[in-house]
Amino acid sequence: MTLTGTVAIVTGSGQGLGLAYARELAAQGASVVINDVSQETADAAVKQITDAGGTASAVVAPVGSTETAKALVDHAYETYGRLDSLVTNAGILRDRTLWKMTDEDFDAVINVHLRGTFTCVREAATRWREAGTQGHIVCIGSPTGQRGNFGQTNYAAAKSGIVGMVRTWALELKKAGITVNAVIPVAATAMTKTVPFFQKAVEADERGEAMPEFFRKELGFGTADDVAGTIAFLASDAANGITGQVVGVGGDRLQLWSHPEAVTTVYREGGWSYDDLASGFSDAVGELQSVGEKFPQLPDELAPEPRS
């Protein structure tokens, strides 16, 4: 199955991962609505797709508000006469440790990632339900939302919240035939370029060379294009039976993330008092859960070089 004749919206698709998603959707036959906050960036993305033989147009507006969500969905229907899939990718970073993060840092990230996902999905799903048509929603999460990451309180909250909404929407929209899934991408982006651990992989990608196998296989770390095929698949009718799932993809690796489940369950007659827990918590629950991403040791030849 291809996406020929379908229409897709991709938020935050002027560059980076979002542009890779939009290019792949267009290559599979979809007409794509590009979204960015910069007219110049959006126009360049549209030109890149149309020069390759695809169909695209743009809505320039910051994601977050109901007005932008409505403008995106209205544009799809007014320009192409339909909407079949929505990819909520738009996002920003305002990284700070907890004690340095301002209200503005927190609110800005929550507004774009979390509220922007909510408003766009609500608008698309409402239109589909009113028309009695099916649709596909793909929301973009992050390893940070799954595991946590130092300095990213706002981003972790938003990305974990997106996954929670996806699971809820999958239940609410199942009867309408609307699929809702989340994708956890692991790829070279503007953010990972600044992380020394990924230096050799990013440098290889920038030279147009294949990334070392260690990154692609052991870490599941690759290019934006490595993620794009999964986005197009979940946005197609080929994925009609898949909903409420969290799919990780990067490099040569594909993952299915579990829903949170209790790893240990113990009982005590009469319940658990403070004294019971103080004297026996560790014995009762066993090994505690790890926090954050755990990376394997880099081979010597892939170790980052000191930066001047």
Side-chain angles (χ1 to χ4, degrees), residues 45-79:
V46 169
K47 185 176 187 302
Q48 188 176 140
I49 289 172
T50 55
D51 284 352
T55 302
S57 56
V59 172
V60 177
V63 166
S65 69
T66 296
E67 289 74 21
T68 293
K70 189 175 187 303
L72 286 164
V73 174
D74 284 348
H75 179 87
Y77 279 99
E78 292 167 4
T79 306

Side-chain angles (χ1 to χ4, degrees), residues 106-303:
F106 186 85
D107 291 345
V109 170
I110 294 297
N111 182 63
V112 177
H113 285 278
L114 193 62
R115 192 170 191 272
T117 296
F118 162 68
T119 55
C120 288
V121 170
R122 180 180 61 183
E123 188 67 29
T126 299
R127 293 289 287 270
W128 286 330
R129 290 185 75 253
E130 289 174 347
T133 56
Q134 298 180 342
H136 302 289
I137 296 166
V138 183
C139 300
I140 305 303
S142 166
T144 294
Q146 303 295 98
R147 303 282 299 173
N149 191 35
F150 189 95
Q152 292 193 308
T153 292
N154 44 13
Y155 186 68
K159 288 304 191 182
S160 60
I162 286 170
V163 170
M165 293 194 300
V166 162
R167 292 176 177 134
T168 299
W169 294 334
L171 296 171
E172 294 178 344
L173 297 173
K174 184 176 182 179
K175 188 175 180 180
I178 299 168
T179 66
V180 193
N181 294 287
V183 170
I184 310 298
V186 183
T189 64
M191 183 175 72
T192 54
K193 282 183 179 181
T194 66
V195 181
F197 190 88
F198 298 112
Q199 179 183 332
K200 296 296 185 181
V202 172
E203 289 175 351
D205 185 45
E206 290 177 338
R207 292 193 300 267
E209 301 172 0
M211 289 184 182
E213 187 174 290
F214 174 85
F215 291 98
R216 294 189 59 84
K217 294 187 182 300
E218 295 296 320
L219 296 179
F221 180 86
T223 67
D225 288 337
D226 290 322
V227 181
T230 301
I231 302 298
F233 166 68
L234 291 173
S236 76
D237 286 347
N240 275 346
I242 303 169
T243 193
Q245 302 304 301
V246 182
V247 181
V249 61
D252 297 331
R253 186 178 72 185
L254 182 71
Q255 296 178 310
L256 187 65
W257 283 84
S258 70
H259 301 312
E261 297 284 353
V263 296
T264 301
T265 302
V266 292
Y267 300 92
R268 184 180 183 87
E269 187 174 350
W272 294 87
S273 69
Y274 172 88
D275 289 338
D276 294 331
L277 294 169
S279 62
F281 181 83
S282 296
D283 291 338
V285 301
E287 185 177 354
L288 298 179
Q289 298 296 288
S290 62
V291 178
E293 286 286 291
K294 304 297 181 185
F295 295 122
Q297 180 68 39
L298 276 172
D300 291 342
E301 67 272 16
L302 298 180

Side-chain angles (χ1 to χ4, degrees), residues 21-44:
Y21 305 158
R23 286 199 311 259
E24 179 65 17
L25 288 162
Q28 294 296 333
S31 298
V32 181
V33 178
I34 296 291
N35 162 250
D36 199 89
V37 295
S38 163
Q39 187 72 58
E40 182 180 2
T41 301
D43 289 345

